[in-house]
Amino acid sequence: QVQLVESGGGLVQAGGALRLSCAAVGRVFLANDMGWYRQSPGKQREMVAIITAGGVANYADSIKGRFTISRDNAKNTVWLQMNSLMPDDTGIYYCNAEVSELRPLQRRHYWGQGTQVTVSS
């Protein structure tokens, strides 16, 4: 019923920047919390940033001051602006969203397909 479509990953040098995008498409009535997670080599999947429908954002300590999350409720889209990238930021970044749907009336979490971010030293 709903899919999360991601884009924006790539290969950059340390100190560079990338902007990730994620759009919830399909039978979306409302998008509630939306956010980004990442899976880095040798690490557990971790929360990077989450933003509520009201625009309140939470960030992981490791990226505070470097990344910024934003959204457009009319487009059901969330972005992650990543500045001052470091090699430790390398990993697969996954979009996540809680979506309210009709018929049946429910709330479900969805995951994007993942986009690779590689930061060279």
Side-chain angles (χ1 to χ4, degrees):
Q1 293 184 358
V2 176
Q3 296 183 57
L4 303 183
V5 182
E6 299 184 33
S7 64
L11 173 64
V12 298
Q13 294 182 332
L18 288 172
R19 188 171 190 249
L20 307 183
S21 177
C22 173
V25 298
R27 286 188 261 270
V28 179
F29 181 68
L30 289 173
N32 306 119
D33 290 356
M34 305 183 76
W36 295 91
Y37 296 72
R38 68 186 179 189
Q39 181 72 57
S40 301
K43 296 182 179 180
Q44 301 279 357
R45 181 176 295 189
E46 63 177 343
M47 185 273 289
V48 178
I50 296 174
I51 186 168
T52 70
V56 179
N58 290 316
Y59 297 97
D61 289 340
S62 61
I63 57 87
K64 281 184 177 178
R66 299 189 296 120
F67 295 3
T68 302
I69 189 169
S70 60
R71 66 184 291 164
D72 185 334
N73 290 341
K75 298 179 179 179
N76 294 320
T77 299
V78 62
W79 296 271
L80 185 68
Q81 179 67 49
M82 304 186 293
N83 298 325
S84 302
L85 283 162
M86 303 184 297
D88 284 348
D89 295 318
T90 293
I92 304 174
Y93 284 68
Y94 296 92
C95 180
N96 178 268
E98 182 188 85
V99 177
S100 295
E101 303 170 59
L102 300 176
R103 300 185 182 181
L105 181 63
Q106 63 180 356
R107 291 181 179 180
R108 294 185 61 187
H109 285 276
Y110 292 90
W111 290 95
Q113 79 280 7
T115 183
Q116 178 70 45
V117 171
T118 303
V119 184
S120 62
S121 60

